[in-house]
Amino acid sequence: MKHGSNTSTDPPGLLRLSDSRTGVPTLKTICPDGAERLLHSSYDPLREARDLVNRCSFDGRGILVVLGLGLGYHVAELARRYPEARIIIIEALAECERLARQHETLDFDPERLTCLSGITPAEALQRVTESQLQSGMPPLALFALPAALAAFPGFYQPIRDKLAASIDFDLAGRLRQRKFQDRSRRVLLFDCGYHLTREVASALEQLGHQVERLKFTAKSPVGQFLGDLVSSIAAFRPDFCLTINHLGFDEEGAVAHFLCSIEMPSASWFVDSPDLILKGFDRNVSPFSALFVWDRDYLVSMRKAGFESVSYLPLGTDPGTFRPLGTSEPAPTRSAAQVGFVGNSMTTPLREKRDKIRNSLHAVSDRLARQMSTQRKLLQEFIGMLGSAEQRQLDMLEARERLDFEQAVTWQATLLYRLACVEQLRGFRPVIRGDKGWQTLLDRDFTLRPPLDYYRELPYFYNACTVNFNATSLQMGTAVNQRLFDVPACGAFLLTDHQESLEELFVEGEEVITYRDAAEIPGLVRFYLAHPAARQMVVDRGRDRVLRQHTYRHRLQTLMETMEKRYA
């Protein structure tokens, strides 16, 4: 019987099946050098297998990699002796696996045993690494069938050398090193280009900590990300991993499971709704995953989801980016305005999500969005008030469909709410900086201009507006958004809607001016345009508060203290 393709550095072998003296099949191969070699005893293959396993020093824990299958007598004995072990067999010849299955000399139980046959040494090593990662980096052990190594040394020896080196290196042990031992902490920051990553890294470094960025993209395969993660942890030896909005974690929970298995803490700072992000990530629950939410409303739902460590951590600002700017400084988009608003119309994300939900749910979606836009409560409160038939419709949705539905409602509610608030600015010829969707919502009484680069252009716009206006996204139940910190840091004036958490962050009426109803907006705008001294008093007090308590340096110090208290 001839092996079908040459997948090793040795030429293909010929296999000859015969009966041993005890009656069970045995196997002979024609080696690349032309010599014949028995892969199992010609007298008693079963006794030979027992003797080989007797000399094995495996303790039964972790993954046992077996080099050489033959007919699998030694593998069957290993499986019997070590019932808790995961066994991965690497076999040069796919024909060996076919014969073993045909003669039923081994139970190929997929829950315990993986057979990699007819692939290259590099592919086999990659599959072993992936299996170890997905299993949480259990220890590796090695068992070689001597006759197979002697017959095909060009195939097996490179695999044996690399696996032996990995075992000696004790990668799993290195990944489980003790954390929080030095005063300067090491933080592995997951970096896919999200705009807060730069601020977080800068704040940590200002606090005297070391930061290593693990770069990836939304299209990076989980296996590739895990491999990069292992390499980064082994080289950098972080105290914990940090990400924004859980970016880097996968829906199947492979990353969370791996980090838990090596007792590596992770911190996820949510600056968008964790309900809308984690709905499809229920396998990410882990005692080593700490969540930080920018809105207190999500503390309960995240704890109900199973996360043990959930903390409130509001947004902040980077005073190096958002600061008062003199008229002599270059301004790429300087455009003075009495009243300015920066924000997304939500028309595009709404259209994308609405296309994904069933037509039968559009009426329910519209009604919930109208309720949210006028009462400004989180969606779950309104879903709880639906009739039983509509509740059943939602309960029947798959996790991804349910997430699309809830996002569509939230974006539509935000669109309706923001539009109602911005309309109140009509008499002041406001400048709106945002997406093209505003062109379908507003008329010529509004000056519509393109969106601004957050770092390069937005600080200039805040400085150039006499009154900066804000209407909070309805994914925020009680929280305040970025403008509450960025605008005062610029030494600029802000008029914002009232949010419950604002009361613990600022002195309302002195450090920030709020409206609780859209009808109040014109009067407040008119007053602060006409009274520059009153406006400046609020600006000075607001900026002082932000610099004393609300920078990213303050936020990351709080996050660090929380992680130390739980995981040190």
Side-chain angles (χ1 to χ4, degrees), residues 51-91:
D51 290 342
L52 287 172
V53 174
N54 284 338
R55 297 196 292 271
C56 175
S57 59
F58 182 50
D59 62 7
R61 297 182 298 111
I63 297 176
L64 178 62
V65 181
V66 177
L67 302 184
L69 171 65
L71 291 173
Y73 298 118
H74 52 299
V75 179
E77 182 64 20
L78 287 165
R80 186 187 69 80
R81 297 262 191 107
Y82 306 108
E84 301 301 319
R86 175 77 183 176
I87 299 175
I88 300 177
I89 307 159
I90 300 175
E91 170 54 54

Side-chain angles (χ1 to χ4, degrees), residues 253-496:
V255 174
H257 179 72
F258 164 67
L259 292 176
C260 181
S261 70
I262 64 168
E263 301 179 358
M264 174 60 67
S266 68
S268 289
W269 187 11
F270 285 90
V271 297
D272 288 303
S273 167
D275 278 351
L276 296 181
I277 293 171
L278 284 179
K279 270 281 163 53
F281 286 67
D282 56 321
R283 297 182 185 179
N284 279 252
V285 174
S286 162
F288 286 89
S289 292
L291 305 189
F292 295 83
V293 295
W294 94 128
D295 191 329
R296 289 189 187 278
D297 269 3
Y298 296 103
L299 292 172
V300 173
S301 63
M302 290 299 98
R303 288 168 183 156
K304 282 185 178 179
F307 291 95
E308 298 174 13
S309 178
V310 187
S311 306
Y312 170 57
L313 190 68
L315 293 169
T317 191
D318 174 12
T321 299
F322 292 91
R323 66 192 194 280
L325 298 172
T327 55
S328 62
E329 296 194 49
T333 57
R334 183 176 298 283
S335 54
Q338 275 198 319
V339 181
F341 173 70
V342 181
N344 196 298
S345 70
M346 308 307 294
T347 54
T348 299
L350 171 59
R351 182 173 61 252
E352 292 172 351
K353 288 299 176 184
R354 195 170 175 84
D355 287 345
K356 294 180 179 180
I357 66 175
R358 302 176 186 183
N359 291 335
S360 59
L361 291 173
H362 282 187
V364 180
S365 172
D366 291 341
R367 189 170 76 253
L368 289 173
R370 287 193 298 271
Q371 290 174 323
M372 278 186 72
S373 70
T374 56
Q375 299 180 45
R376 295 183 62 202
K377 296 179 180 178
L378 288 180
L379 176 58
Q380 299 307 319
E381 294 190 39
F382 299 106
I383 288 179
M385 294 186 286
L386 289 175
S388 57
E390 292 172 332
Q391 287 274 11
R392 283 195 296 272
Q393 273 187 290
L394 296 185
D395 291 342
M396 291 172 62
L397 297 178
E398 297 290 336
R400 178 52 59 183
E401 283 186 295
R402 178 67 176 256
L403 179 59
D404 289 336
F405 173 82
E406 294 186 6
Q407 287 179 330
V409 174
T410 302
W411 303 156
Q412 184 176 1
T414 297
L415 184 157
L416 294 172
Y417 171 67
R418 279 187 173 168
L419 180 59
C421 292
V422 170
E423 281 282 1
Q424 296 296 321
L425 302 174
R426 178 177 294 277
F428 303 99
R429 300 294 300 178
V431 175
I432 311 297
R433 302 304 301 251
D435 59 293
K436 292 182 178 179
W438 286 114
Q439 296 174 6
T440 66
L441 302 174
L442 299 173
D443 57 30
R444 294 182 179 179
D445 285 342
F446 299 83
T447 301
L448 309 180
R449 292 181 178 162
L452 297 163
D453 179 86
Y454 182 78
Y455 298 105
R456 189 174 59 87
E457 300 173 329
L458 190 55
Y460 288 96
F461 185 74
Y462 287 158
N463 272 270
C465 292
T466 306
V467 171
N468 287 281
F469 182 74
N470 183 45
T472 308
S473 167
L474 294 186
Q475 66 172 320
M476 302 180 181
T478 64
V480 298
N481 62 20
Q482 203 80 53
R483 289 183 198 86
L484 266 291
F485 309 105
D486 290 346
V487 174
C490 285
F493 180 84
L494 179 70
L495 174 62
T496 184

Side-chain angles (χ1 to χ4, degrees), residues 129 133 137 169 171 175 188 212 214 223-238 258 262:
T129 301
L133 286 170
M137 293 304 292
F169 182 70
L171 178 60
L175 296 178
L188 182 61
E212 178 82 11
L214 175 56
Q224 177 185 324
F225 180 80
L226 277 170
D228 293 341
L229 179 58
V230 170
S231 299
S232 295
I233 292 175
F236 183 57
R237 302 172 74 85
F258 164 67
I262 64 168

